Amino acid sequence: MPDQRELATAAALEIPRFVSATVLFQTAMAERLGISPTELHGLQLVISGAATSPTQLARALGMTTGAVTRMLDRMEARRLVERVPDPADRRRLAVRPLPDRLDDVADLYSPMARFFGDRLARLDRRQLAALLGVLTDGRAFAEQEATRLRSGSRKEGVD
């Protein structure tokens, strides 16, 4: 059985492979839906509720609001989302997925969702907590690094 260091090394080496395979999967999904990978990413953010306005989408995707407007135009033309007045502030827009297309997206994701559901069900509470911690911390650090790289800073943690 591998020791702690060997397992940590193997896990660290697997992360970029996992990310690469995920990108391939997302690209295939986008092709199947007839949209770009960025549009699929935006659709996932809208479906999950992580981004419900054009401004939130722009921030989450690292795009300008103008680019997101054009992306939403294309997504509306494909009947994936709609822009509606924000019920909390009618001066703003909200972005919602169109329910009739959610089934198409869910059908394409269902094999992957079942796979991960089955794998996660095998983990105990301690393992799930550890995995969630790595994923949560990793997401936060990746967001921080994206901001740093876009700012032109060369050193970690430098503004």
Side-chain angles (χ1 to χ4, degrees):
M1 172 139 204
D3 67 17
Q4 176 94 13
R5 174 181 270 155
E6 291 168 329
L7 285 171
T9 299
L13 292 172
E14 190 58 33
I15 291 169
R17 295 176 187 146
F18 175 77
V19 170
S20 181
T22 301
V23 169
L24 288 174
F25 172 74
Q26 297 288 35
T27 300
M29 284 279 300
E31 288 170 1
R32 191 73 175 269
L33 290 168
I35 59 178
S36 73
T38 301
E39 290 164 345
L40 178 61
H41 188 183
L43 179 61
Q44 291 167 327
L45 291 167
V46 169
I47 290 170
S48 71
T52 58
S53 73
T55 302
Q56 289 173 339
L57 269 175
R59 281 190 202 116
L61 295 170
M63 298 170 68
T64 66
T65 53
V68 166
T69 296
R70 290 186 298 278
M71 181 185 80
L72 289 171
D73 290 342
R74 293 187 302 272
M75 292 172 73
E76 280 183 324
R78 293 222 176 267
R79 302 232 355 102
L80 293 167
V81 298
E82 65 180 346
R83 287 173 276 199
V84 297
D86 185 332
D89 183 348
R90 296 188 61 79
R91 295 170 296 175
R92 298 175 191 256
L93 290 176
V95 181
R96 297 190 310 209
L98 290 174
D100 56 319
R101 292 299 305 274
L102 289 179
D103 287 342
D104 297 338
V105 175
D107 287 346
L108 292 173
Y109 274 115
S110 65
M112 189 67 77
R114 274 192 309 277
F115 170 80
F116 278 104
D118 292 345
R119 290 292 289 151
L120 293 173
R122 296 185 208 167
L123 302 179
D124 64 32
R125 285 178 58 96
R126 186 183 54 71
Q127 291 168 318
L128 284 169
L131 176 60
L132 180 59
V134 169
L135 294 173
T136 302
D137 293 349
R139 176 182 44 84
F141 188 73
E143 289 168 351
Q144 174 186 320
E145 284 297 284
T147 300
R148 181 186 64 80
L149 291 168
R150 284 198 174 101
S151 75
S153 177
R154 293 179 179 251
K155 293 186 179 179
E156 178 184 332
V158 176
D159 294 330

